[in-house]
């Protein structure tokens, strides 16, 4: 069955450093991969979408890579700030709006 | 532009009862998806409606159903509630249509507790 793995342990980093989150998947060949941010008590917020034929995508301090051979996506936040502390979710889909989410990784940025 | 709204925000029900949750999408969005979020299973897709038709369905029992109205507002219903149905139910809207995927905008969710 399809499986999406994100590091379930919290990632603690110092303010100003680069945070790198990992999303691995098996038994799946997604055409698209998306990253969302979720704060406690709130719904997820869309951050970035990357297609299978794209290797990398950037938006301000965010960068996503998508390696379909390794079946892995890396999500980077450069110059991290305490306000970046949240849970980050990766989601895969092939078409339409049916998303399959990973379990999320909690990021804590310490001042 | 107003965001996705969900009502009610919190709900407590007893086993065996049924419940109806409501979602109003962003104006102009024609696709509404529903997700269940629990600590153990994470975010799981329930179903998607587009132009009043169910377009995709997740792996949930028939007790979970939904519908969409002509103004794109959507409701989901859970009948014969079980303790395991306690969760945060999230609604997401997007432009939908062909050629997706589209960025999805999530509402704040409805926290359902079944006792």
């Amino acid at each position: 069955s399809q499986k999406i793995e994100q590091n379930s342990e919290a990632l603690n980093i110092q303010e100003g450093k680069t945070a790198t989150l990992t999303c691995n998947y098996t038994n799946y060949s997604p055409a698209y991969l998306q990253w969302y941010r979720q704060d406690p008590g709130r719904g997820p917020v869309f951050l970035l979408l990357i297609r299978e034929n794209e290797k990398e995508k950037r938006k301000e301090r965010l960068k996503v890579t998508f390696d379909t051979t390794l079946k892995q996506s890396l999500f980077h936040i450069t110059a991290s700030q305490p306000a970046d502390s949240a849970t980050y979710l990766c989601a895969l889909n092939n078409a339409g709006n049916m998303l399959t989410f990973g379990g999320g990784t909690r990021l804590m940025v310490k001042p | 532009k107003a965001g996705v709204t969900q009502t009610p925000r919190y709900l407590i029900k007893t086993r065996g009862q049924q419940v109806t949750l409501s979602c109003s999408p962003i104006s102009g969005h024609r696709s509404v998806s529903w997700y269940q979020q629990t600590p153990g299973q994470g975010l799981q897709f329930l179903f998607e409606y587009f132009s009043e038709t169910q377009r995709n369905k997740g792996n949930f029992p028939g007790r979970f159903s939904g519908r969409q109205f002509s103004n794109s507002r959507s409701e989901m219903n859970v009948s014969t509630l079980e303790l395991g149905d306690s969760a945060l139910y999230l609604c997401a809207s997007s432009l939908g249509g062909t050629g997706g995927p589209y960025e999805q905008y999530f509402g704040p969710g409805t926290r359902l507790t079944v006792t």
Side-chain angles (χ1 to χ4, degrees), chain A residues 32-46:
Chain A
Y32 310 95
L33 190 147
Q34 304 183 28
W35 283 88
Y36 286 78
R37 167 187 172 141
Q38 187 173 25
D39 292 284
R42 295 183 172 231
V45 174
F46 172 82

Side-chain angles (χ1 to χ4, degrees), chain A residues 31-34 36 38 41-47 49-51 59 87 89 91 93-104, chain B residues 9 31 33 35 37 42-45 48 55-58 88 90 94-97 99-109 111:
Chain A
Y32 310 95
L33 190 147
Q34 304 183 28
Y36 286 78
Q38 187 173 25
R42 295 183 172 231
V45 174
F46 172 82
L47 296 173
L49 179 152
I50 187 166
R51 291 170 167 76
K59 179 182 175 183
T87 295
L89 301 153
N93 71 328
N94 278 312
N97 291 319
M98 180 176 171
L99 295 177
T100 302
F101 280 89
Chain B
R9 292 293 312 279
S31 167
S33 299
Y35 292 82
Q37 187 171 30
L43 261 165
Q44 293 185 285
F45 176 82
E48 179 203 7
R55 189 159 69 171
N56 287 296
K57 188 177 188 305
L88 181 66
L90 291 158
S94 71
L95 290 170
Y102 296 90
E103 177 178 338
Q104 295 202 43
Y105 295 82
F106 283 82
R111 172 73 63 186

